[in-house]
PDB file of all heavy atoms in Angstrom:
ATOM      1  N   LEU G 172      16.142 -11.330   4.538  1.00  0.00           N
ATOM      2  CA  LEU G 172      17.360 -12.058   4.166  1.00  0.00           C
ATOM      3  C   LEU G 172      18.048 -12.637   5.421  1.00  0.00           C
ATOM      4  O   LEU G 172      18.574 -13.748   5.383  1.00  0.00           O
ATOM      5  CB  LEU G 172      18.299 -11.090   3.397  1.00  0.00           C
ATOM      6  CG  LEU G 172      19.660 -11.698   2.969  1.00  0.00           C
ATOM      7  CD1 LEU G 172      19.484 -12.963   2.159  1.00  0.00           C
ATOM      8  CD2 LEU G 172      20.454 -10.653   2.192  1.00  0.00           C
ATOM      9  N   THR G 173      18.031 -11.864   6.492  1.00  0.00           N
ATOM     10  CA  THR G 173      18.630 -12.319   7.759  1.00  0.00           C
ATOM     11  C   THR G 173      17.969 -13.628   8.222  1.00  0.00           C
ATOM     12  O   THR G 173      18.667 -14.575   8.636  1.00  0.00           O
ATOM     13  CB  THR G 173      18.480 -11.232   8.839  1.00  0.00           C
ATOM     14  OG1 THR G 173      19.113 -10.038   8.424  1.00  0.00           O
ATOM     15  CG2 THR G 173      19.140 -11.726  10.147  1.00  0.00           C
ATOM     16  N   ARG G 174      16.629 -13.716   8.116  1.00  0.00           N
ATOM     17  CA  ARG G 174      15.931 -14.941   8.556  1.00  0.00           C
ATOM     18  C   ARG G 174      16.351 -16.108   7.667  1.00  0.00           C
ATOM     19  O   ARG G 174      16.564 -17.204   8.147  1.00  0.00           O
ATOM     20  CB  ARG G 174      14.425 -14.733   8.462  1.00  0.00           C
ATOM     21  CG  ARG G 174      13.862 -13.772   9.524  1.00  0.00           C
ATOM     22  CD  ARG G 174      12.355 -13.891   9.668  1.00  0.00           C
ATOM     23  NE  ARG G 174      11.635 -13.484   8.474  1.00  0.00           N
ATOM     24  CZ  ARG G 174      11.229 -12.224   8.229  1.00  0.00           C
ATOM     25  NH1 ARG G 174      11.562 -11.258   9.096  1.00  0.00           N
ATOM     26  NH2 ARG G 174      10.579 -11.919   7.141  1.00  0.00           N
ATOM     27  N   TYR G 175      16.463 -15.858   6.350  1.00  0.00           N
ATOM     28  CA  TYR G 175      16.895 -16.923   5.452  1.00  0.00           C
ATOM     29  C   TYR G 175      18.295 -17.405   5.798  1.00  0.00           C
ATOM     30  O   TYR G 175      18.576 -18.608   5.863  1.00  0.00           O
ATOM     31  CB  TYR G 175      16.873 -16.433   3.980  1.00  0.00           C
ATOM     32  CG  TYR G 175      15.463 -16.265   3.429  1.00  0.00           C
ATOM     33  CD1 TYR G 175      15.192 -15.157   2.646  1.00  0.00           C
ATOM     34  CD2 TYR G 175      14.494 -17.217   3.629  1.00  0.00           C
ATOM     35  CE1 TYR G 175      13.915 -15.009   2.108  1.00  0.00           C
ATOM     36  CE2 TYR G 175      13.219 -17.072   3.108  1.00  0.00           C
ATOM     37  CZ  TYR G 175      12.930 -15.943   2.341  1.00  0.00           C
ATOM     38  OH  TYR G 175      11.699 -15.774   1.782  1.00  0.00           O
ATOM     39  N   LEU G 176      19.195 -16.440   6.013  1.00  0.00           N
ATOM     40  CA  LEU G 176      20.580 -16.795   6.286  1.00  0.00           C
ATOM     41  C   LEU G 176      20.715 -17.622   7.568  1.00  0.00           C
ATOM     42  O   LEU G 176      21.451 -18.600   7.605  1.00  0.00           O
ATOM     43  CB  LEU G 176      21.415 -15.523   6.364  1.00  0.00           C
ATOM     44  CG  LEU G 176      21.697 -14.813   5.040  1.00  0.00           C
ATOM     45  CD1 LEU G 176      22.331 -13.463   5.296  1.00  0.00           C
ATOM     46  CD2 LEU G 176      22.576 -15.671   4.165  1.00  0.00           C
ATOM     47  N   GLU G 177      19.961 -17.161   8.562  1.00  0.00           N
ATOM     48  CA  GLU G 177      20.008 -17.849   9.854  1.00  0.00           C
ATOM     49  C   GLU G 177      19.639 -19.339   9.659  1.00  0.00           C
ATOM     50  O   GLU G 177      20.279 -20.260  10.131  1.00  0.00           O
ATOM     51  CB  GLU G 177      19.048 -17.202  10.810  1.00  0.00           C
ATOM     52  CG  GLU G 177      19.216 -17.549  12.280  1.00  0.00           C
ATOM     53  CD  GLU G 177      18.202 -16.807  13.159  1.00  0.00           C
ATOM     54  OE1 GLU G 177      17.586 -15.815  12.640  1.00  0.00           O
ATOM     55  OE2 GLU G 177      18.052 -17.174  14.316  1.00  0.00           O
ATOM     56  N   LEU G 178      18.552 -19.535   8.895  1.00  0.00           N
ATOM     57  CA  LEU G 178      18.068 -20.886   8.667  1.00  0.00           C
ATOM     58  C   LEU G 178      19.030 -21.680   7.789  1.00  0.00           C
ATOM     59  O   LEU G 178      19.333 -22.864   8.098  1.00  0.00           O
ATOM     60  CB  LEU G 178      16.719 -20.781   7.960  1.00  0.00           C
ATOM     61  CG  LEU G 178      15.902 -22.097   7.950  1.00  0.00           C
ATOM     62  CD1 LEU G 178      15.287 -22.331   9.305  1.00  0.00           C
ATOM     63  CD2 LEU G 178      14.808 -22.045   6.868  1.00  0.00           C
ATOM     64  N   MET G 179      19.511 -21.082   6.721  1.00  0.00           N
ATOM     65  CA  MET G 179      20.374 -21.808   5.786  1.00  0.00           C
ATOM     66  C   MET G 179      21.720 -22.164   6.429  1.00  0.00           C
ATOM     67  O   MET G 179      22.327 -23.192   6.099  1.00  0.00           O
ATOM     68  CB  MET G 179      20.583 -20.972   4.505  1.00  0.00           C
ATOM     69  CG  MET G 179      19.296 -20.770   3.723  1.00  0.00           C
ATOM     70  SD  MET G 179      19.508 -19.531   2.386  1.00  0.00           S
ATOM     71  CE  MET G 179      20.253 -20.561   1.153  1.00  0.00           C
ATOM     72  N   ASN G 180      22.180 -21.336   7.353  1.00  0.00           N
ATOM     73  CA  ASN G 180      23.453 -21.614   7.978  1.00  0.00           C
ATOM     74  C   ASN G 180      23.380 -22.754   8.961  1.00  0.00           C
ATOM     75  O   ASN G 180      24.392 -23.222   9.471  1.00  0.00           O
ATOM     76  CB  ASN G 180      24.017 -20.360   8.653  1.00  0.00           C
ATOM     77  CG  ASN G 180      24.875 -19.563   7.670  1.00  0.00           C
ATOM     78  OD1 ASN G 180      25.746 -20.107   6.986  1.00  0.00           O
ATOM     79  ND2 ASN G 180      24.624 -18.266   7.536  1.00  0.00           N
ATOM     80  N   ARG G 181      22.120 -23.190   9.274  1.00  0.00           N
ATOM     81  CA  ARG G 181      21.970 -24.387  10.106  1.00  0.00           C
ATOM     82  C   ARG G 181      22.067 -25.656   9.252  1.00  0.00           C
ATOM     83  O   ARG G 181      22.136 -26.757   9.799  1.00  0.00           O
ATOM     84  CB  ARG G 181      20.607 -24.370  10.808  1.00  0.00           C
ATOM     85  CG  ARG G 181      20.490 -23.284  11.880  1.00  0.00           C
ATOM     86  CD  ARG G 181      19.173 -23.440  12.599  1.00  0.00           C
ATOM     87  NE  ARG G 181      18.731 -22.182  13.174  1.00  0.00           N
ATOM     88  CZ  ARG G 181      17.446 -21.907  13.451  1.00  0.00           C
ATOM     89  NH1 ARG G 181      16.511 -22.802  13.189  1.00  0.00           N
ATOM     90  NH2 ARG G 181      17.091 -20.763  13.970  1.00  0.00           N
ATOM     91  N   ASP G 182      22.006 -25.481   7.889  1.00  0.00           N
ATOM     92  CA  ASP G 182      22.040 -26.653   7.038  1.00  0.00           C
ATOM     93  C   ASP G 182      23.500 -26.944   6.678  1.00  0.00           C
ATOM     94  O   ASP G 182      24.151 -26.193   5.971  1.00  0.00           O
ATOM     95  CB  ASP G 182      21.231 -26.315   5.751  1.00  0.00           C
ATOM     96  CG  ASP G 182      21.223 -27.493   4.781  1.00  0.00           C
ATOM     97  OD1 ASP G 182      22.004 -28.437   4.979  1.00  0.00           O
ATOM     98  OD2 ASP G 182      20.434 -27.436   3.830  1.00  0.00           O
ATOM     99  N   PRO G 183      24.038 -28.106   7.165  1.00  0.00           N
ATOM    100  CA  PRO G 183      25.459 -28.397   6.926  1.00  0.00           C
ATOM    101  C   PRO G 183      25.800 -28.559   5.446  1.00  0.00           C
ATOM    102  O   PRO G 183      26.975 -28.357   5.076  1.00  0.00           O
ATOM    103  CB  PRO G 183      25.641 -29.730   7.668  1.00  0.00           C
ATOM    104  CG  PRO G 183      24.258 -30.268   7.856  1.00  0.00           C
ATOM    105  CD  PRO G 183      23.354 -29.120   7.914  1.00  0.00           C
ATOM    106  N   HIS G 184      24.784 -28.857   4.609  1.00  0.00           N
ATOM    107  CA  HIS G 184      25.114 -28.961   3.187  1.00  0.00           C
ATOM    108  C   HIS G 184      25.353 -27.605   2.548  1.00  0.00           C
ATOM    109  O   HIS G 184      25.991 -27.531   1.519  1.00  0.00           O
ATOM    110  CB  HIS G 184      23.927 -29.638   2.434  1.00  0.00           C
ATOM    111  CG  HIS G 184      23.687 -31.065   2.861  1.00  0.00           C
ATOM    112  ND1 HIS G 184      24.565 -32.087   2.505  1.00  0.00           N
ATOM    113  CD2 HIS G 184      22.715 -31.630   3.606  1.00  0.00           C
ATOM    114  CE1 HIS G 184      24.090 -33.210   3.005  1.00  0.00           C
ATOM    115  NE2 HIS G 184      23.017 -32.952   3.688  1.00  0.00           N
TER     116      HIS G 184
END
Side-chain angles (χ1 to χ4, degrees):
Chain G
L172 179 54
T173 302
R174 290 195 295 273
Y175 288 137
L176 287 171
E177 196 179 347
L178 195 76
M179 295 170 81
N180 271 312
R181 291 186 205 156
D182 180 348
H184 295 289

